[in-house]
Amino acid sequence: MKKSKVACIGCGVMGGALIRAVAKVIPAADIYLYDTDTGKRDSVAKELGAVALDSSSAAAENADYLILAVKPAYIESVLSDITAVVPQDKLPLFVSIAAGVKLEKLRKAALTKSRFIRLMPNIPALVGEAMIALTNGSDVTADEVADVKELLSKAGSVESVPENLMDCVTGISGSGPAYGFVFVEALADAAVKLGMPRKQAYIYAAQTLKGAAAMVLETGRHPAVLKDDVCSPGGTTIAGVAALEELGFRHAVIEAAVAATERSVELGKK
C-alpha cells in the first residue's frame, strides 16, 4: 500500500484496539490521536509513539484516513464540527465504527461532500482476532478499501459486506463474543461442578471453543460434519449434544442474534 497517515478520534477500548493494530502496519510517526479525555489520548500516544493532537479538526487535517471511534450519539456532531472547519480538499476518508449509523446519515451530518467507510469490529480486536465487517460508499475506490483492510489486518479478519447486512453483522459478530463468553463461563461452571479447579476450568473451556472455531475456519468443513465426527454411536458426545437440543440451545443462540440485530435496527433509526 502507499504511504498513508492515519488519525483516530476516540482512544477508548475499540478505538485503542484498532489504532494499536494500525501501529503494526505503519510507522507511529504517521499516526495521530485525539480524544476529549486527554488522559486516554496521552496514554495511547505514549505507548505507541504516536502524535497527540488537541482537536478533531487537527486530526482530520493530518490524515489520509480518519477512524471515527466515537459513540453513535456523538458521531453527527463530531462530523459537523470537523467539516465546518476543515476545507473539503483537505478532508480525509472517514472510517466510522458507530454502530447502526448508516452511510447516508453520515453523509448528511457532514457539512461538505465527504466520503465514508463503515466498520463493524468486535472486541477480539484487543487480541488480534477480530471479525471486522466493512462497507463503503460508491465514491470510495477499490484501492482505498484495500488500504483500509491492510491497515486493520493486524486486528483480525476484515471482510466487505453490503450495507444492508451491517445490522446482521452487529447481531452475529459484533455482539457474538458475548455469547461466546457466556458459553465459556457455563462450560467452566460445569467443570467446577464436576470437580475441576476454577482457573483450570476456564482454560479448558476457552481452549475447547477456540479449537472448535479454528477447525471450522481452517478445514472449511461444515460444522455439522465436524460435529458428527465427534459423536460416536452411543457415546458421551452425542449424549451431551442431545441434552443441548432438548434444552433449546440452538434456538436460544438464534434468538439472541435476532434480538441483537433488531436492536441495531432500532438504534439506527434514532
Side-chain angles (χ1 to χ4, degrees), residues 131-146:
M131 183 66 248
I132 303 173
L134 179 155
T135 194
N136 57 276
S138 58
D139 51 0
V140 177
T141 70
D143 284 345
E144 289 171 327
V145 170

Side-chain angles (χ1 to χ4, degrees), residues 96-251:
S96 169
I97 68 168
V101 184
K102 293 180 170 54
L103 292 170
E104 181 182 4
K105 192 170 186 179
L106 293 169
R107 283 191 287 263
K108 286 181 178 179
L111 301 178
T112 59
K113 186 177 181 181
S114 301
R115 300 181 309 125
F116 293 91
I117 283 176
R118 278 184 67 194
L119 301 178
M120 173 47 63
N122 62 10
I123 200 66
L126 290 168
V127 293
E129 293 289 349
M131 183 66 248
I132 303 173
L134 179 155
T135 194
N136 57 276
S138 58
D139 51 0
V140 177
T141 70
D143 284 345
E144 289 171 327
V145 170
D147 281 353
V148 171
K149 287 183 175 181
E150 185 172 349
L151 287 167
L152 298 173
S153 61
K154 299 301 183 181
S157 297
V158 189
E159 297 286 341
S160 292
V161 297
E163 189 172 28
N164 63 1
L165 287 181
M166 288 296 274
D167 290 316
C168 169
V169 166
T170 301
I172 301 301
S173 62
S175 302
Y179 319 150
F181 298 146
V182 172
F183 192 177
V184 169
E185 183 184 28
L187 200 56
D189 283 347
V192 171
K193 182 178 181 180
L194 295 167
M196 183 179 286
R198 172 67 66 180
K199 185 175 181 180
Q200 188 177 32
Y202 284 134
I203 293 171
Y204 269 74
Q207 181 60 43
T208 297
L209 263 68
K210 181 180 180 181
M215 285 191 70
V216 172
L217 292 172
E218 293 180 22
T219 68
R221 300 175 72 200
H222 194 289
V225 174
L226 293 171
K227 179 263 295 177
D228 287 350
D229 286 348
V230 188
C231 292
S232 302
T236 60
T237 306
I238 192 61
V241 169
L244 289 176
E245 293 290 352
E246 183 178 356
L247 295 169
F249 175 79
R250 196 185 302 253
H251 177 72

Side-chain angles (χ1 to χ4, degrees), residues 1-6 26-27 29-30 32 64-65 147 151:
M1 63 177 286
K2 65 179 179 62
K3 180 177 172 62
S4 299
K5 294 183 178 181
V6 178
I26 65 173
D30 292 331
Y32 301 86
D64 299 302
Y65 299 100
D147 281 353
L151 287 167

